[in-house]
Amino acid sequence: MAPSEVTEDYYAILEVPQHATIDTVKRSYRRLAKVLHPDKNSNTSSATASFQSLVAAWETIKDPVRRREYDQKWVHIRQCKSTREQVEKQRAGSFRTEPRDPAEETTQRKEQAILLERLRNLEGHRVSYQNQIYELERGIEKLATDLNRLRDKDDWELRKEREGDSWWTYITSPILGKLPKETEEQKQQQAIDRIQRLNVKRIKENDLGRQAASVQSLKEKLQDVNGKISAIEQKVEEMARAREANRQEQSRKEQEAKRRAEQQEARERVAKMQAERVRRQEEETARAAQQAREAQEVREAEEGKRRAYGTK
C-alpha cells in the first residue's frame, strides 16, 4: 500500500523556519508537545489530531533522509496551502452579509489586518523568548554542575589535608606506615590548581549571575508579550462576536422583512379572494334577477295570450 501524500507544512506545525537546526526543532517540539498533549486539552475535540500532526512532523524532520525528501516537496506544499487559504478567504467573503456599508467593511478589514499582523509579530517574539530562555536555562544548569564539581574538588582536598594532620593518622602510622610526604613541586602545583579553580569558580559564578539575570529579564518580556497577545486575541474575539451579532441582526431583519412580505402577500390573496367572492355573488344576484325578469315576462306574455283567446 503506497504511503499517503503529505500535504501539511511540518515547519509551520513545529513553529520553526525551514532552515532550523535539529536542536532548534527538538526544543520547539518538546515545548509544543507539553502544550498540545491531549491529556492537557481534554476539552478540545481537535487536541488528538493536533498532537498527531506534531508527532508526524517531528518524526519526519528529525530523520535527515526523510527531511531531505520532504524539503523537495515543501515549496509545493506551501504554494498549495497559500492557494487554499486564498480560496477560503474568497469563499468566506462571498457568503458575508455584513457589514453592508463598504466604508465600514474596509475599516474593519484594515483593523483586523493590523491586529493579525501584530499578533504574528508578537507570536514570533514569544517563540524567540521561549527558545532563548530554554538555552539560557540549559547553560545555567551546566554552570551549576561545573561549580558543584569544583566545590567538591575543594572539599576533597580539604578533607585530605585534615586527615593527614589528624590524630588517627598519627596513631595508625606505626602500623600502616607513614604516608609519603608531598614534594615542594607537588605542593606548588596544588596551590596553582587551587588558584585556577578559584578563578574558574569566580568566572562561572559571574556567568551564572548574568545568565540568571538575563533569564529573569526574558521572562518579564515574555510575560509582557503574553499579555499583549491575550489582549489582541480578546480584541479579535470581540470583533468576531460583533460580526456574528451583526450577521444575526441582519438575518433577523431579512427574516422579518420576508415574514412581512409573506403576510402582505397573504392579505392580498385574501382580499383578492374576497373580491372574487363578492363579484361572483353579484353576478349570481344579477343572473337571478335577470332570470326572474325573464320568467315574469314569460308569465305576462302567456297571461296576455289567454286574455286574447278569452275575448275571442
Side-chain angles (χ1 to χ4, degrees):
M1 183 176 180
S4 59
E5 184 70 18
V6 177
T7 59
E8 293 182 312
D9 186 352
Y10 286 161
Y11 292 107
I13 292 174
L14 290 166
E15 296 184 358
V16 295
Q18 190 263 346
H19 55 78
T21 63
I22 189 62
D23 290 336
T24 302
V25 176
K26 184 187 294 184
R27 289 194 299 271
S28 183
Y29 166 71
R30 290 178 176 176
R31 175 178 56 82
L32 291 171
K34 294 179 181 178
V35 175
L36 300 177
H37 198 280
D39 292 343
K40 294 185 178 180
N41 300 274
S42 57
N43 296 328
T44 305
S45 58
S46 60
T48 302
S50 299
F51 186 74
Q52 289 175 348
S53 297
L54 178 66
V55 174
W58 165 243
E59 292 294 332
T60 299
I61 301 302
K62 76 174 183 179
D63 188 335
V65 177
R66 294 175 64 184
R67 182 174 184 176
R68 282 196 298 270
E69 294 176 353
Y70 176 78
D71 287 344
Q72 294 175 357
K73 307 174 185 177
W74 180 70
V75 175
H76 177 68
I77 292 173
R78 289 282 296 175
Q79 291 175 350
C80 292
K81 181 180 178 182
S82 177
T83 303
R84 287 196 303 271
E85 290 176 350
Q86 291 177 0
V87 171
E88 290 175 357
K89 287 181 180 179
Q90 291 175 357
R91 288 179 177 176
S94 64
F95 287 104
R96 288 186 60 182
T97 59
E98 81 299 347
R100 295 302 178 90
D101 186 0
E104 183 181 356
E105 182 177 6
T106 302
T107 302
Q108 288 186 356
R109 285 183 176 179
K110 287 182 178 180
E111 184 178 0
Q112 185 177 13
I114 291 172
L115 289 174
L116 293 176
E117 182 64 25
R118 288 181 59 192
L119 187 61
R120 281 192 292 269
N121 292 334
L122 288 171
E123 287 176 346
H125 288 311
R126 177 166 65 180
V127 172
S128 176
Y129 291 153
Q130 289 173 338
N131 290 335
Q132 291 181 53
I133 290 171
Y134 179 79
E135 289 290 344
L136 287 171
E137 287 179 342
R138 286 184 62 191
I140 289 173
E141 184 178 355
K142 186 177 182 302
L143 287 172
T145 302
D146 293 342
L147 286 171
N148 289 332
R149 189 180 299 112
L150 292 171
R151 294 189 184 104
D152 291 341
K153 180 67 175 177
D154 290 340
D155 293 341
W156 179 81
E157 289 191 353
L158 182 61
R159 286 196 304 270
K160 184 178 177 182
E161 290 178 359
R162 289 176 177 174
E163 289 173 357
D165 297 334
S166 66
W167 61 271
W168 177 254
T169 303
Y170 176 77
I171 292 173
T172 57
S173 60
I175 302 172
L176 301 177
K178 293 184 177 180
L179 297 174
K181 293 184 177 180
E182 295 179 345
T183 64
E184 290 296 326
E185 184 177 354
Q186 290 175 334
K187 292 180 179 180
Q188 290 177 0
Q189 185 61 43
Q190 289 179 358
I192 292 172
D193 291 342
R194 288 195 191 97
I195 294 173
Q196 289 179 347
R197 284 198 303 273
L198 181 61
N199 291 332
V200 171
K201 283 169 59 178
R202 288 175 179 173
I203 293 172
K204 289 185 179 294
E205 286 172 350
N206 291 334
D207 290 342
L208 184 63
R210 284 195 299 270
Q211 292 191 16
S214 298
V215 168
Q216 182 61 31
S217 176
L218 287 170
K219 286 184 176 180
E220 292 174 356
K221 292 180 180 179
L222 179 61
Q223 184 177 3
D224 180 63
V225 167
N226 287 333
K228 292 179 179 178
I229 289 176
S230 298
I232 292 177
E233 290 176 342
Q234 183 177 0
K235 179 66 175 178
V236 171
E237 185 177 354
E238 289 175 355
M239 292 176 65
R241 285 199 297 266
R243 286 196 301 271
E244 180 63 19
N246 191 15
R247 187 193 65 78
Q248 292 179 356
E249 178 64 17
Q250 184 65 29
S251 177
R252 187 191 65 79
K253 289 181 179 179
E254 291 177 355
Q255 292 177 359
E256 180 66 18
K258 183 178 179 180
R259 184 181 63 81
R260 290 179 179 177
E262 290 175 350
Q263 290 177 348
Q264 180 64 25
E265 185 180 356
R267 285 194 293 269
E268 291 176 355
R269 284 199 304 268
V270 171
K272 186 176 180 181
M273 292 173 62
Q274 290 177 347
E276 181 67 20
R277 190 181 303 113
V278 170
R279 184 185 65 79
R280 290 178 179 178
Q281 289 176 353
E282 290 177 350
E283 289 179 352
E284 290 292 333
T285 303
R287 190 180 299 111
Q290 180 67 22
Q291 291 175 353
R293 285 194 298 271
E294 290 176 352
Q296 182 65 27
E297 291 175 357
V298 170
R299 286 195 297 273
E300 290 177 353
E302 292 178 349
E303 182 67 25
K305 288 179 180 180
R306 284 196 299 271
R307 289 177 180 177
Y309 290 144
T311 303
K312 292 180 180 181

